[in-house]
Amino acid sequence: MNDLLIKLFECLHVNVDAEPVSKSRGHVLNAEVAAFGYTLAPELIKAVSSLSEDAFIGLRGFTLNSLGEISGANVRYQALFKGFPYSTPDQFEYMHKRVMQHVQNTFFGRQNSNHLMLSCGHVIDPSIFPNVEEEFGACPVCQFQVDELQDDALPKHDFNSITPLKVLHLADDAFITKAATQLVARNSSLSADERRFVLEVVKTRDIAIPNEIYRENLPLAYLVAKGDVEKVRHLFKGATDVLRIATFLSDNEADLSLSGNTRLSIKRGDAKRLLDILNGMPNAAEDMLRHREKWKRLLHAVHAGSEANRKRYPNAAKSADIVRSNGEGFTTFNAKSEQLTRSKAITGEQGLASLLTARPGDFVRKLDFMLLNAGEDGQGEVLANLTKVVSNLSTDVLFTMCKYLPTRVVRGEKRTFIPKGVTTKAKVVEDKRQALNKASVEIALADMRHELHNRFSSMKNLGKVYIDPILFKQLVPFNRRADSSTSVSVVKGSRYPLGDAPVIRLFTWWKGNVDVDLSAVLYDANFDVVDSIYYGDLSNHDLQIQHSGDIQNAPNGAAEFVDFVPNRLREMGVRYVLSHLISFRREGFNTFPCFAGFMERDSLRSGRKFEPESVQLKFDVNTPASEISAHIFDLETNEVVFADLTGGTRIHNNVRKSQQSLQEKVEAILSLPATKTTLGDVLLVHATARGTIVDNRFEADTIFDLETVKGVDVMSAEQMGEFGHE
């Protein structure tokens, strides 16, 4: 569990039973973790010092192994050009030599005994590549790894670390239980790491079951209940909740948005409990028909049609019959809604606006459509119905609408969609919608903001409140189910400040008979491409950007790097740098080990290719997609955006072939703080409802910044209620 505590919370769990046995032990471990870019907080040093010798040895070994894996220091970095970053061949001269050597191999073979025979089948003529063993970590012709050429180059210059050490704190049992409880109660989907953490915690600890829950987290609450259905029955809203639990029980890593299919395997006891829950939903059939084919498979898996189960669970059996008949003769609420939508029958007692008041979530999802099609006279009726349902809307939906509606008073050029699922993709299309009436939007916003103000105003007073402007660039987490596993907790689409590093080094490592290409695309302020650095164009000396060379096969594990100098790029008119990864032969990244990230380096000529102390962010690349846009560096604001955006539709792709789609994705990711709820948006409403905003942090009673809201779910009334005073 400690590896997850480090990545998610920057903490370590240590069982503290006594006074320090050896004060030096904590300091010894503190010195060792510094090599990976970490340091121990004083309370953690004290806890480590209290351990017995055996316990210390166990903790030390696990911690150092975990930090090695988290930082990427547990593998060997073999690049094509051994001399990188100190010296790399001229790319045109190198290409000329490759062609010459290929021709010689094709027509003449091995001509002399001093020619080096490689296990890939190529013969290297020393007159063409005179120092091949000193200069190359793979075959210089086919660029496949071979045993005869290993990257064992030693650093030629000292390394100076400029990256601040990440502080590890002590996590006691109370912290672990609270963290797991808050994750289960969080009003958004969990990442794979967060889900694994909760699963680890519930094995040995009891955590509280919340009164309300995000639908995709209900299976975790079911697991927490440990077979006692009555503990979680209040959380069920519809039959789809039962389907999610069945999906989770069949595969703990399954996509709980249900956008994909999972092979179902349900134990007998769970089958009875699921049928019991379904039986308590007399109108479950309508919800079940939304995922009809999935339900047919589940009903078969739990034997819903057996004679015994039909007698014991009659309501479930009735719903099952409707699903098996494909809903023949069964009129659903959604069918009525879609009929009214198609006919644009918005107003009146039998209109869409009136019908949807029974389902507030559906109402706001259709609000844009209804305001567009109700006409000037009908918009008032739509807004009156909004007033009826606004108090029943969840807090996150209210914030989402408050951020979305202002963008609709002018006609946009493009729309960006980020579908649900286990990968984060962005689809950018032309926005053909007409703008909404500004007066109607203002009325709707006033209703929603008033509701939020009422919800927060009864909480503790915050006094004078300072909100760090960076928080308006930090998104409230969304679609975390698709998040990559990262060395530190980050939210895709959010901006994070960079240090004043003279050099940024992008890196990737992978292993297998696959070809991974690391690329960097440079954009100006208008998102026009300045240059692309990839396997076909390895450097631009004027811009001071250099690639370490393309390795096309990595049975022993290989690496690629790209160095760039932010100040130089800024001087040359570059505003953004995109780090992009491609699996060249279109193998999914989840079929082989791979990770990537970036380092902050003190110089182009410093230390080894990979120095774990300098790693600012490392993430595992395990998406089923074959491309991923990893980071976007904004050189003007000196910030980095974690993009984590997947793609890949064709084999043998590269960034030169994908310039338009990549440009659209970069613009889409950078625009997210303008269209999605940020931490600052939420905290601003709390501040105005519960205190007074000030511009000077030294005058404030309550300060909201990256440190004070770290680990806080700002959408949680319970957690936000801890701020302030009576």
Side-chain angles (χ1 to χ4, degrees):
M1 183 192 301
N2 263 333
D3 57 336
L4 294 172
L5 282 170
I6 293 170
K7 289 195 284 187
L8 296 174
F9 309 108
E10 295 185 356
C11 291
L12 268 178
H13 178 245
V14 179
N15 289 315
V16 183
D17 297 321
E19 289 299 313
V21 174
S22 171
K23 292 183 179 181
S24 65
R25 285 179 182 160
H27 294 288
V28 168
L29 184 59
N30 191 34
E32 290 179 307
V33 301
F36 302 100
Y38 290 84
T39 186
L40 308 184
E43 75 274 10
L44 184 53
I45 292 177
K46 182 178 179 181
V48 171
S49 299
S50 74
L51 297 175
S52 66
E53 183 175 355
D54 288 344
F56 173 74
I57 291 173
L59 176 71
R60 175 184 176 273
F62 184 87
T63 300
L64 296 181
N65 286 336
S66 295
L67 292 179
E69 183 176 344
I70 290 169
S71 66
N74 62 326
V75 299
R76 187 177 181 182
Y77 289 83
Q78 293 190 229
L80 178 64
F81 301 146
K82 281 188 178 181
F84 178 89
Y86 304 120
S87 62
T88 54
D90 178 84
Q91 59 182 330
F92 299 108
E93 180 183 350
Y94 168 52
M95 181 58 70
H96 178 66
K97 289 183 176 181
R98 279 185 73 191
V99 173
M100 289 177 59
Q101 188 67 83
H102 176 71
V103 170
Q104 186 184 86
N105 273 255
T106 302
F107 295 103
F108 304 106
R110 188 176 186 183
Q111 296 178 293
N112 195 301
S113 61
N114 71 341
H115 289 189
L116 178 64
M117 185 73 182
L118 300 180
S119 53
C120 62
H122 285 112
V123 177
I124 305 301
D125 184 345
S127 67
I128 299 176
F129 289 106
N131 301 305
V132 65
E133 292 176 289
E134 289 76 30
E135 293 181 357
F136 290 90
C139 172
V141 182
C142 66
Q143 299 178 330
F144 278 36
Q145 279 189 334
V146 291
D147 293 336
E148 296 83 2
L149 300 176
Q150 299 290 328
D151 186 355
D152 52 5
L154 297 174
K156 298 180 180 179
H157 299 275
D158 291 337
F159 167 70
N160 295 312
S161 178
I162 59 171
T163 306
L165 297 176
K166 294 175 277 290
V167 182
L168 293 179
H169 295 274
L170 176 66
D172 56 16
D173 289 335
F175 174 88
I176 292 172
T177 302
K178 182 179 179 181
T181 301
Q182 290 178 345
L183 285 175
V184 173
R186 194 174 72 191
N187 199 22
S188 66
S189 58
L190 304 185
S191 68
D193 278 347
E194 290 170 333
R195 195 189 296 186
R196 282 193 287 269
F197 174 72
V198 173
L199 292 176
E200 284 293 318
V201 173
V202 298
K203 289 178 183 178
T204 57
R205 295 169 173 84
D206 293 326
I207 67 175
I209 294 173
N211 294 323
E212 296 287 339
I213 201 164
Y214 186 73
R215 309 328 304 159
E216 292 184 33
N217 297 338
L218 178 53
L220 293 171
Y222 175 87
L223 193 67
V224 170
K226 298 178 179 177
D228 189 347
V229 171
E230 298 309 315
K231 289 183 177 180
V232 291
R233 195 181 292 274
H234 67 284
L235 296 175
F236 286 84
K237 304 295 185 184
T240 303
D241 291 335
V242 177
L243 183 59
R244 283 197 177 93
I245 290 176
T247 301
F248 174 76
L249 293 174
S250 303
D251 180 0
N252 287 347
E253 297 182 358
D255 174 14
L256 297 182
S257 72
L258 303 180
S259 61
N261 290 314
T262 300
R263 185 173 181 177
L264 299 174
S265 177
I266 310 298
K267 295 179 180 178
R268 186 175 181 181
D270 287 315
K272 289 182 177 180
R273 285 186 281 271
L274 295 181
L275 284 171
D276 177 48
I277 295 169
L278 190 64
N279 196 59
M281 301 175 181
N283 300 313
E286 177 173 347
D287 199 15
M288 294 167 72
L289 287 170
R290 294 174 56 219
H291 300 280
R292 184 173 57 201
E293 298 306 317
K294 287 183 173 67
W295 267 107
K296 287 179 181 179
R297 294 194 294 272
L298 177 56
L299 293 170
H300 176 76
V302 299
H303 307 290
S306 71
E307 184 177 350
N309 283 336
R310 293 184 73 87
K311 289 181 180 179
R312 185 175 298 172
Y313 311 110
N315 287 333
K318 182 179 178 181
S319 298
D321 290 340
I322 293 172
V323 171
R324 291 193 180 103
S325 69
N326 295 323
E328 185 176 346
F330 186 80
T331 303
T332 67
F333 183 94
N334 286 336
K336 295 177 185 176
S337 173
E338 288 306 311
Q339 182 181 1
L340 293 172
T341 299
R342 284 193 297 270
S343 62
K344 297 183 180 180
I346 309 298
T347 58
E349 292 183 4
Q350 303 300 317
L352 182 63
S354 179
L355 175 71
L356 293 181
T357 55
R359 296 189 177 181
D362 290 344
F363 186 97
V364 293
R365 278 189 283 273
K366 292 280 190 179
L367 180 60
D368 189 307
F369 173 83
M370 290 190 292
L371 289 176
L372 270 178
N373 294 280
E376 290 186 15
D377 296 334
Q379 290 183 29
E381 183 178 331
V382 172
L383 294 169
N385 281 307
L386 172 63
T387 302
K388 295 177 183 178
V389 304
V390 71
S391 61
N392 294 318
L393 296 172
S394 65
T395 298
D396 67 310
V397 168
L398 287 171
F399 273 112
T400 298
M401 293 303 295
C402 285
K403 199 63 180 277
Y404 167 76
L405 285 174
T407 69
R408 292 287 291 116
V409 298
V410 294
R411 184 169 180 175
E413 295 182 1
K414 297 177 182 178
R415 299 178 67 183
T416 301
F417 299 94
I418 300 180
K420 291 182 178 181
V422 293
T423 59
T424 302
K425 296 182 178 180
K427 184 177 181 180
V428 182
V429 300
E430 181 185 355
D431 192 350
K432 298 180 180 180
R433 300 169 300 172
Q434 296 295 322
L436 295 178
N437 179 275
K438 185 176 181 180
S440 295
V441 167
E442 289 176 349
I443 293 171
L445 286 171
D447 256 1
M448 295 177 181
R449 289 166 178 164
H450 180 70
E451 175 63 25
L452 287 170
H453 186 278
N454 286 345
R455 292 185 188 185
F456 299 156
S457 59
S458 60
M459 296 182 179
K460 294 178 185 177
N461 188 276
L462 296 174
K464 295 179 180 179
V465 184
Y466 172 80
I467 304 174
D468 191 327
I470 191 66
L471 297 179
F472 291 94
K473 300 178 181 180
Q474 298 275 311
L475 298 182
V476 172
F478 70 98
N479 192 23
R480 299 221 73 168
R481 72 183 75 82
D483 283 7
S484 297
S485 177
T486 56
S487 57
V488 294
S489 182
V490 290
V491 177
K492 59 178 166 283
S494 294
R495 287 174 172 259
Y496 297 90
L498 287 169
D500 296 323
V503 176
I504 297 293
R505 177 168 297 167
L506 311 178
F507 67 88
T508 187
W509 179 93
W510 78 98
K511 185 176 183 179
N513 296 318
V514 290
D515 179 8
V516 173
D517 294 319
L518 174 63
S519 307
V521 187
L522 316 180
Y523 300 93
D524 64 17
N526 297 317
F527 298 100
D528 292 326
V529 176
V530 177
D531 201 356
S532 300
I533 302 300
Y534 71 115
Y535 65 84
D537 190 358
L538 296 175
S539 65
N540 185 317
H541 296 300
D542 289 337
L543 296 176
Q544 290 187 356
I545 183 167
Q546 175 69 52
H547 197 290
S548 66
D550 179 33
I551 289 185
Q552 299 188 31
N553 201 44
N556 302 320
E560 292 186 9
F561 303 90
V562 175
D563 275 5
F564 66 86
V565 179
N567 285 340
R568 179 59 178 173
L569 293 182
R570 195 181 299 115
E571 291 171 359
M572 299 296 288
V574 176
R575 169 76 187 267
Y576 305 107
V577 179
L578 168 67
S579 171
H580 192 72
L581 289 170
I582 297 176
S583 175
F584 186 68
R585 294 189 284 270
R586 210 184 170 192
E587 295 96 343
F589 280 107
N590 62 343
T591 62
F592 58 92
C594 182
F595 59 77
F598 73 94
M599 295 174 265
E600 293 182 330
R601 304 298 292 255
D602 62 303
S603 169
L604 287 169
R605 297 176 175 272
S606 170
R608 298 169 295 177
K609 295 179 181 67
F610 185 86
E611 293 284 358
E613 286 182 70
S614 66
V615 174
Q616 183 71 289
L617 178 66
K618 174 250 180 186
F619 69 100
D620 295 335
V621 188
N622 53 14
T623 171
S626 59
E627 294 188 29
I628 183 166
S629 296
H631 321 96
I632 303 168
F633 298 86
D634 187 337
L635 304 184
E636 182 175 301
T637 62
N638 202 35
E639 295 168 330
V640 61
V641 178
F642 183 53
D644 201 15
L645 200 62
T646 61
T649 58
R650 55 185 174 183
I651 195 170
H652 299 165
N653 198 19
N654 62 55
V655 292
R656 283 277 172 90
K657 296 178 181 178
S658 308
Q659 285 186 357
Q660 182 175 350
S661 63
L662 289 178
Q663 177 187 346
E664 290 177 344
K665 289 178 181 179
V666 168
E667 290 189 66
I669 285 291
L670 293 177
S671 69
L672 286 178
T675 58
K676 287 190 172 292
T677 308
T678 67
L679 300 183
D681 296 330
V682 179
L683 297 171
L684 181 63
V685 177
H686 274 278
T688 54
R690 303 165 57 188
T692 305
I693 298 175
V694 295
D695 295 329
N696 189 334
R697 65 187 300 131
F698 299 106
E699 298 176 3
D701 302 306
T702 304
I703 296 174
F704 290 124
D705 57 20
L706 286 173
E707 190 60 34
T708 58
V709 301
K710 186 176 183 179
V712 176
D713 178 5
V714 296
M715 288 295 186
S716 167
E718 179 182 356
Q719 293 183 47
M720 288 303 300
E722 295 178 5
F723 290 93
H725 51 83
E726 298 294 347

